Amino acid sequence: MTASPAWAVVPAAALVVVFAGAAAALDGVLDPAGRGRPMSGRLGRPLWETARLLRQRRRTTVAPDALLWRAGTAGPLVVALLMAVVVPVGGITVADPPVGLVWFNALDVALWLTVWAAGWGANSVYGLVSGYRFLSQALAYELPLMFALTAPAVAAGSLKIGQIVAAQDKTWFVVRMPAAFLVFLVAVAGFSLWGPLAYPAGRDLAGGVLAEPSGVDRLVLLAGRYALLTVGAGMSTALFLGGGAGPLLPGWLWSLLKTALVLAGLVAVRRAMPVLRADRVMRLAWLVVLPVTLLQLLVVSVLALGGS
Amino acid sequence: MVLTQLLGRWAARRPHVLAVAAPGATAVRLAVEVEMARIGAVAATAPSDADVLLAVGSPGDELRDAIDLVWSQLPGPRVRADIDDPAEAGAVLRQVVRQLSDPQRAAEPDRRDEWAERAPDTHGEDMQMPGGLMMADRGPDRDALALDVLTVPLGPVLPDWPSGLVMDLQVQGDVVQQARSRILSAATPPRPFWDAAGPGASRRHAAAHLDSLQRLLAVAGWPGMAWRVRRLRDSTLTDTPGPVLRGHLAAIGRRLNRSPTLRWATDGLGVLTAETADRLQVSGPAARAALEGGDVTARWRRWLTETDALLAGEPAGPGPRGRSVPGRPASAGLLAAADELAIGLDLAAARLVMASLDPDPDQLAAAPEPAEARS
């Protein structure tokens, strides 16, 4: 895998934005409330919403912590773009540092701060409660996510994402570690505040962390959610689905196709079930998911020892 | 200029509408919801999310003040309208959307931000409060720690919330310590929409249960399913044949009963025992659910069962919320039960419990002050 010149961050960011927009368009198509309306109107939903929010004024609240608030709302998008730096598309990547996987993990932990700050900064009860809702949700998904990330690293014997992709030349890691793959996808929904894990953006609290920001702030926060989903789908492709491996088509196209497929699955799951409250999923996360992930890691480690 | 017009046109294709219904305006609210779906409008989650503020029905003074306050919080470009007649809902909404795409609207002179300019209030010993806000008091919590107590009203403007309901809460963190609910008044005496008697009563009561169910599902964070139930509610109020409706209901019921995640959200939550139901004079589905476990799950299952029976032609009971006696409408007991059960729950759970009891504000705003009847 070749590292790219610095300007490669521009097309990488553009790719994330395009995929995030496509995810938002798909979400519009899948929304049952749009059924019976012309397809163009449903596909164009990201455009209408973006136009709305660009036209809308920003607003403030009583005595907000303005710095934390604005930084927090911009945070998810920034984190997603920083994550995208290490996500390979076929054989191309902006950077492939020896600790690429740790970079990704460190950034998803940075979301703890930024989403909390987005909730706290507005000085509103709904935002504040929702910021803490995110922390409790993160407490449920973060450890399983870390161990799920460890599994491909152990199997490949490297934290370098290029080598993890290369180690899947015979079998994709999803075959060897299906549980880690599933846990990773759930965690992606978790840090993107998406679908059943949108508890911190809950409608029961007037949108939670989304209760106060308007205009550009809201646009950036919403775009950040889709961008995180996109980058998560891209990373799952590299870690578990063999990256750009596939017959006939070039590697970069395979990478994009697999990413699109995972992303579509993540978008579709939004309407399949109600939101999971953190207090209810905590038990499941710590008593079932975490042991399963550890068991998965054990199996992978034993296989790695036997194979080498 | 061209860009501004284009943005305006695009923005108006998906207007976010915050509809604030007054008690007693259920018929208008239903019409507004149908028309909003027709023009592709979205129900806003908060003032910050709204382009359009609709006052539905005829709000009384306190609710009118709340609507004015919310209006000042809309970021803009914004439009405001009143709807008091189900027949005019479509026309008003279409006109409002036209106004919204008007470039002049975007140029509405910058409003003064009333928060930023508010003078710092003084409190007690001349202590300056940040932004004029009161500091939180301390109180012992359930683990015997001294924690900040915050007084927070839920409602009257909150998505998927009974019209005109205000639940004054004392919370520590997001855990409810005390709850006291009241219904704001309407300017005109409301006539309970769901408590129909006579030939159409069964259908009306079935639709009442479906309306409650869609609100519960929306609060549980399952908007897709809430939308399906809302559609079924609307067809129940038309002359769609009963067997068709029952077919849809059965499909919905299967999805709900088979959803482990919905069960996680509602099982064992807000248990209303038969004794408590008796003491608070709760009758109707909530009281019958008390014999089947009494939790939120039992209550939504009860709605499914009773809706099906009503659609199958079973004669309607005294009312969808139970039996009302003069001075004590059926919903008064439900409201009192929601306050009692909320204590010790977090906000999400308290909202689910309220939605699963779903007191009908139309009944309560019509009745004398419910607080007296409670004691």
Side-chain angles (χ1 to χ4, degrees):
Chain A
M1 199 154 301
T2 50
S4 307
W7 57 260
V9 292
V10 179
L15 199 60
V16 170
V17 171
V18 167
F19 266 68
L26 177 65
D27 186 54
V29 172
L30 294 178
D31 185 358
R35 224 167 270 166
R37 304 184 64 73
M39 188 51 88
S40 62
R42 297 162 70 179
L43 273 173
R45 194 178 283 186
L47 278 186
W48 325 143
E49 291 286 1
T50 306
R52 243 193 94 233
L53 292 173
L54 284 177
R55 203 166 164 253
Q56 198 172 62
R57 288 197 195 89
R58 300 169 82 186
R59 65 199 277 280
T60 185
T61 52
V62 187
D65 191 329
L67 178 67
L68 277 186
W69 190 22
R70 307 296 185 197
T73 46
L77 185 59
V78 173
V79 166
L81 292 175
L82 286 174
M83 279 175 169
V85 167
V86 296
V87 176
V89 176
I92 315 155
T93 177
V94 175
D96 193 15
V99 288
L101 200 62
V102 178
W103 171 258
F104 182 86
N105 197 189
L107 281 165
D108 91 60
V109 177
L111 284 170
W112 288 47
L113 174 62
T114 126
V115 177
W116 173 83
W120 159 275
N123 193 21
S124 112
V125 174
Y126 297 150
L128 183 67
V129 168
S130 305
Y132 282 103
R133 277 185 175 186
F134 182 74
L135 292 190
S136 55
Q137 173 166 303
L139 212 56
Y141 75 70
E142 190 64 49
L143 273 184
L145 169 63
M146 283 184 182
F147 288 115
L149 284 175
T150 313
V154 167
S158 170
L159 292 169
K160 199 174 158 93
I161 292 178
Q163 287 191 6
I164 293 176
V165 175
Q168 301 177 61
D169 56 349
K170 290 201 185 68
T171 42
W172 294 357
F173 282 165
V174 65
V175 181
R176 261 201 262 173
M177 42 188 100
F181 177 62
L182 280 180
V183 168
F184 180 80
L185 290 185
V186 172
V188 168
F191 65 61
S192 311
L193 318 182
W194 185 255
L197 294 165
Y199 181 58
R203 203 175 154 78
D204 59 332
L205 285 188
V209 291
L210 285 163
E212 302 297 346
S214 71
V216 166
D217 297 313
R218 194 182 188 86
L219 177 64
V220 168
L221 188 52
L222 290 172
R225 282 170 83 183
Y226 281 108
L228 283 170
L229 272 185
T230 303
V231 176
M235 200 57 168
S236 77
T237 304
L239 295 183
F240 298 100
L241 299 177
L248 297 175
L249 302 175
W252 60 268
L253 193 54
W254 270 115
S255 266
L256 294 184
L257 278 176
K258 290 175 193 172
T259 302
L261 209 64
V262 174
L263 185 58
L266 283 169
V267 170
V269 90
R270 174 176 180 192
R271 294 198 165 75
M273 58 183 83
V275 163
L276 301 168
R277 301 210 310 280
D279 56 323
R280 296 273 165 143
V281 286
M282 197 67 80
R283 182 185 293 263
L284 182 77
W286 282 75
L287 295 183
V288 181
V289 179
L290 188 57
V292 165
T293 323
L294 284 172
L295 207 62
Q296 171 80 85
L297 189 57
L298 179 70
V299 170
V300 169
S301 308
V302 170
L303 282 178
L305 276 180
S308 58
Chain B
M1 202 57 225
V2 178
L3 186 65
T4 319
Q5 273 175 2
L6 186 68
L7 280 185
R9 254 206 329 277
W10 282 2
R13 292 192 66 154
R14 204 165 154 70
H16 289 220
V17 177
L18 188 61
V20 183
T26 302
V28 198
R29 171 173 67 86
L30 296 179
V32 166
E33 284 179 12
V34 169
E35 291 299 332
M36 276 172 58
R38 187 166 293 158
I39 64 165
V42 192
T45 51
S48 65
D49 183 35
D51 310 310
V52 176
L53 181 64
L54 287 184
V56 177
S58 43
D61 291 339
E62 195 178 348
L63 186 53
R64 175 63 63 186
D65 289 347
I67 293 173
D68 287 343
L69 183 63
V70 163
W71 172 245
S72 74
Q73 296 176 349
L74 255 62
R78 52 184 188 162
V79 184
R80 180 177 179 170
D82 296 333
I83 301 183
D84 199 15
D85 176 8
E88 70 184 15
V92 172
L93 265 170
R94 276 189 293 277
Q95 193 204 345
V96 153
V97 171
R98 256 198 313 281
Q99 289 174 357
L100 199 62
S101 55
D102 179 1
Q104 292 302 319
R105 199 47 72 161
E108 181 189 17
D110 256 353
R111 288 165 298 121
R112 286 192 313 172
D113 215 320
E114 73 279 14
W115 304 129
E117 303 200 345
R118 203 155 127 184
D121 293 349
T122 50
H123 169 68
E125 305 94 45
D126 268 352
M127 210 160 72
Q128 290 230 331
M129 298 295 146
L133 293 179
M134 298 277 284
M135 297 293 279
D137 286 329
R138 292 258 172 106
D141 86 328
R142 56 184 174 184
D143 301 324
L145 300 167
L147 287 184
D148 286 358
V149 181
L150 212 56
T151 306
V152 180
L154 285 187
V157 184
L158 198 61
D160 310 308
W161 183 251
S163 346
L165 171 62
V166 178
M167 194 181 197
D168 289 305
L169 296 178
Q170 303 236 316
V171 292
Q172 288 181 323
D174 68 344
V175 178
V176 176
Q177 303 295 332
Q178 264 186 54
R180 197 159 185 80
S181 296
R182 60 205 167 93
I183 304 282
L184 303 185
S185 63
T188 53
R191 265 187 317 197
F193 176 80
W194 301 118
D195 295 291
S202 291
R203 278 293 180 96
R204 193 61 76 83
H205 292 189
H209 292 329
L210 292 172
D211 188 49
S212 302
L213 182 60
Q214 65 87 14
R215 203 159 20 247
L216 176 72
L217 291 170
V219 171
W222 201 355
M225 193 51 75
W227 179 86
R228 270 178 77 174
V229 175
R230 212 172 301 142
R231 284 287 301 263
L232 183 60
R233 173 200 69 191
D234 294 337
S235 347
T236 304
L237 291 170
T238 63
D239 49 10
T240 315
V244 177
L245 297 174
R246 288 184 70 199
H248 287 301
L249 182 70
I252 289 170
R254 272 196 300 277
R255 280 293 301 280
L256 298 188
N257 280 310
R258 279 186 198 158
S259 165
T261 43
L262 181 63
R263 298 284 306 275
W264 288 343
T266 59
D267 273 9
L269 184 67
V271 175
L272 180 73
T273 58
E275 296 80 63
T276 316
D278 220 32
R279 175 166 56 81
L280 298 171
Q281 298 173 36
V282 173
S283 53
R288 290 188 283 276
L291 306 172
E292 298 162 1
D295 59 357
V296 173
T297 308
R299 287 196 282 276
W300 62 253
R301 288 200 162 150
R302 206 60 237 165
W303 283 334
L304 285 173
T305 320
E306 298 197 3
T307 308
D308 188 58
L310 287 165
L311 289 177
E314 188 185 273
R321 300 314 199 269
R323 179 173 295 105
S324 296
V325 291
R328 176 82 179 172
S331 292
L334 294 172
L335 197 63
D339 281 353
E340 269 189 29
L341 295 175
I343 292 170
L345 298 180
D346 65 290
L347 291 176
R351 278 216 61 183
L352 279 171
V353 168
M354 176 62 88
S356 74
L357 293 163
D358 202 40
D360 181 6
D362 295 9
Q363 292 183 343
L364 293 172
E369 190 60 40
E372 297 167 18
R374 208 175 300 162
S375 60

